[in-house]
Amino acid sequence: METWHDGHDTPSLVACCPDGYSYVEQARTHQHAADMTTNHGGVCLFFKRQLHVRRLCLPVYNTFECICASVRGSGFELTTAVLYRPGSQAVSDDFFSELADMLERTSSLSSVLIMGDLNVHLDVLDRADTVKFNALLTTHGFTQHVQSSTHVGGHLLDVFLVRQLTTRRVDVSPPGGLSDHSMIVGHINVMLPAQYDTVTRRTRCWRSFDVHAFLRDVSDSPFVRTPPTDVNELFTGYFNTFSSPLSCHPISQLSFVSKLVERAVAVRFVNHCDQNGQLPVRQSAYRRHHSTETAVLIVYNDIICAVDKGQVVPLVLLDLSSAFDTVGQNCLLSVLQHRFSVDCDAMTWFRSYLADRTRTFVAGKDHHGPLPVNCSVPQGSVLGPIKFISYTEDVAELIAQHGVSYHLFADDMQLYTAVLSDEIHVARQRLTFCIGVGVCLVGYS
């Protein structure tokens, strides 16, 4: 929709956003920074927060304003664009050239929805502008679903264009009232993500951990009081009594002030991701109201539902070795900028946070370093885990392309698919192809 706003935090834009919704926007740039006049133009896309919406980068066009985003939900994905061409400008060949460029950039995408006010008299079928416009739609496979007047002047100026989407109906209200344009409501067949109830659980507070009681319990354990003589039993007793040290990694000793700053940034970044639905719905690590319990329940529920339908469910468990050490810093910055829309001062802060880090290893009186750190995120930091799940966010898209169900918990992944018993070979091929072509691209094994 056309908005007349100045930026993301424009009061009128914030005020008209309904509860449970968020938005991505593109304001028209003022020619002069000190200009305080009304900023005509600008476009915005409102969406339900339960959807996963990611802004897509398009060139800046001179003849119309545009914002484009990828919208994902449970079982569907589509690309949505909002356009506005000022009616004060004549329709030119440059407009059709730039519109053709935008449509061409969507040619590789299957399901596309384009809405907006083009200020072209599309109801005059023999008009040269209308003929060119309809020819572009035919070339790129789009269908225009608005067929009646949408302006108080009596012309059809607005579009609801779809490609490879099932549209049940499009309702066009009479123009006038709050706007001189009609309100257009389109109904397309998509499935919104399931809403899960939040369950609160009490867990142990490790800050109140009683070391002396723990030592007494260890002293009284069978492993210490009557240690086994068999080597295999010795290893089994050790792992049953203590946590395995094999999964431990060097922990960065960060300053108190550093962690305070990180916590403030983490709160802002997580709120940004939650409001815009940018983290995978099925990622249960390092997120509020998510845990190992939610991960187990979702996978278990999917399997039980499939078994009730007489299906079998092959399951593959994957783990990323030395997960935090695999994060490429330049790649992480690119992900934050292009997939999470982090820019300006926020991007400068993240770049400064990762730059010029060194690490020194200390064991007793020996030490080695300092050594430059060009890869990985600091272990033991507040932001490290959040940045890791942001870094691997797009693995969900890779898996979804192969029609495989999944659930993520930090660097652990469960892949599974439900098929009939006589189609087990299909499931095996699907999982094998998904792992070989998609998942291995990010290092899972």
Side-chain angles (χ1 to χ4, degrees):
M1 60 181 296
E2 178 195 357
T3 53
W4 291 18
H5 73 288
D6 295 298
H8 185 80
D9 55 353
T10 298
S12 58
L13 190 61
V14 175
C16 71
C17 183
D19 291 339
Y21 280 74
S22 187
Y23 56 84
V24 290
E25 53 75 35
Q26 179 63 54
R28 180 184 295 182
T29 304
H30 276 294
Q31 293 183 354
H32 304 287
D35 190 354
M36 298 299 292
T37 60
T38 301
N39 193 12
H40 297 282
V43 287
C44 182
L45 172 66
F46 293 90
F47 59 89
K48 281 194 172 182
R49 289 179 180 172
Q50 65 193 92
L51 296 174
H52 183 101
V53 176
R54 176 172 56 86
R55 183 168 179 175
L56 302 178
C57 294
L58 288 177
V60 177
Y61 297 114
N62 296 319
T63 59
F64 63 89
E65 299 171 56
C66 174
I67 187 169
C68 187
S70 169
V71 181
R72 289 194 289 116
S74 177
F76 81 92
E77 179 175 3
L78 61 89
T79 300
T80 303
V82 179
L83 309 182
Y84 171 64
R85 193 194 74 82
S88 58
Q89 301 176 6
V91 182
S92 63
D93 290 338
D94 289 341
F95 164 69
F96 288 107
S97 297
E98 292 185 342
L99 181 61
D101 177 81
M102 196 213 75
L103 296 179
E104 180 66 30
R105 292 175 184 272
T106 68
S107 60
S108 61
L109 306 172
S110 57
S111 301
V112 183
L113 167 62
I114 299 177
M115 305 166 287
D117 173 14
L118 298 184
N119 281 302
V120 179
H121 292 179
L122 301 177
D123 53 311
V124 185
L125 298 180
D126 57 351
R127 185 169 177 163
D129 298 337
T130 305
V131 173
K132 289 182 181 180
F133 180 78
N134 290 332
L136 278 178
L137 297 190
T138 301
T139 300
H140 295 281
F142 281 92
T143 301
Q144 157 73 312
H145 283 277
V146 180
Q147 302 299 330
S148 60
S149 170
T150 61
H151 189 261
V152 292
H155 288 290
L156 197 170
L157 306 182
D158 302 271
V159 296
F160 190 94
L161 310 175
V162 299
R163 183 176 65 206
Q164 297 187 19
L165 278 173
T166 303
T167 305
R168 289 183 291 171
R169 72 178 191 275
V170 175
D171 300 327
V172 180
S173 64
L178 294 176
S179 171
D180 55 358
H181 284 257
S182 298
M183 183 175 71
I184 301 173
V185 180
H187 303 263
I188 57 177
N189 290 333
V190 296
M191 182 185 302
L192 294 178
Q195 294 293 293
Y196 298 100
D197 294 333
T198 300
V199 179
T200 303
R201 290 286 184 267
R202 297 178 62 88
T203 59
R204 180 187 299 275
C205 179
W206 289 105
R207 294 181 180 179
S208 59
F209 180 72
D210 191 338
V211 177
H212 299 291
F214 172 74
L215 293 177
R216 287 196 302 271
D217 291 340
V218 171
S219 300
D220 294 337
S221 67
F223 178 75
V224 174
R225 300 186 65 177
T226 56
T229 56
D230 181 76
V231 174
N232 292 328
E233 293 179 359
L234 191 64
F235 274 101
T236 301
Y238 176 83
F239 280 104
N240 289 340
T241 308
F242 303 95
S243 297
S244 171
L246 299 179
S247 61
C248 296
H249 299 279
I251 301 299
S252 301
Q253 291 186 347
L254 304 174
S255 68
F256 175 74
V257 174
S258 170
K259 289 193 174 184
L260 278 180
V261 175
E262 284 188 52
R263 187 171 298 279
V265 174
V267 170
R268 294 290 297 273
F269 181 72
V270 170
N271 287 341
H272 167 73
C273 293
D274 290 342
Q275 290 175 4
N276 295 283
Q278 292 176 308
L279 292 175
V281 175
R282 293 198 165 200
Q283 168 63 270
S284 290
Y286 314 124
R287 302 175 64 189
R288 189 178 182 184
H289 303 315
H290 293 70
S291 65
T292 53
E293 183 177 2
T294 60
V296 171
L297 284 176
I298 291 175
V299 175
Y300 179 78
N301 180 74
D302 289 347
I303 293 175
I304 292 299
C305 290
V307 171
D308 288 343
K309 297 177 182 178
Q311 297 175 310
V312 294
V313 185
L315 173 68
V316 178
L317 306 178
L318 302 175
D319 176 73
L320 181 61
S321 302
S322 302
F324 282 24
D325 295 333
T326 65
V327 178
Q329 294 180 353
N330 290 333
C331 184
L332 172 61
L333 292 173
S334 177
V335 168
L336 292 176
Q337 180 178 3
H338 295 103
R339 298 187 68 86
F340 289 85
S341 301
V342 176
D343 55 14
C344 301
D345 291 342
M347 176 53 65
T348 301
W349 188 93
F350 276 109
R351 187 175 288 108
S352 173
Y353 175 82
L354 293 173
D356 300 325
R357 281 193 173 273
T358 60
R359 177 178 292 172
T360 299
F361 296 90
V362 179
K365 297 181 179 181
D366 299 327
H367 73 277
H368 181 62
L371 302 173
V373 179
N374 300 319
C375 190
S376 80
V377 292
Q379 300 209 33
S381 64
V382 177
L383 275 175
I386 299 171
K387 286 191 290 188
F388 175 77
I389 63 175
S390 304
Y391 179 75
T392 57
E393 171 266 342
D394 59 344
V395 72
E397 294 184 9
L398 295 176
I399 300 170
Q401 292 174 2
H402 301 284
V404 174
S405 299
Y406 69 94
H407 199 86
L408 310 175
F409 191 90
D411 58 337
D412 296 319
M413 180 188 301
Q414 298 81 45
L415 300 181
Y416 53 97
T417 185
V419 294
L420 297 175
S421 57
D422 58 351
E423 297 176 338
I424 192 66
H425 64 285
V426 176
R428 185 185 299 112
Q429 291 175 354
R430 187 182 301 166
L431 290 168
T432 302
F433 187 73
C434 176
I435 295 171
V437 176
V439 180
C440 66
L441 293 177
V442 292
Y444 281 87
S445 61

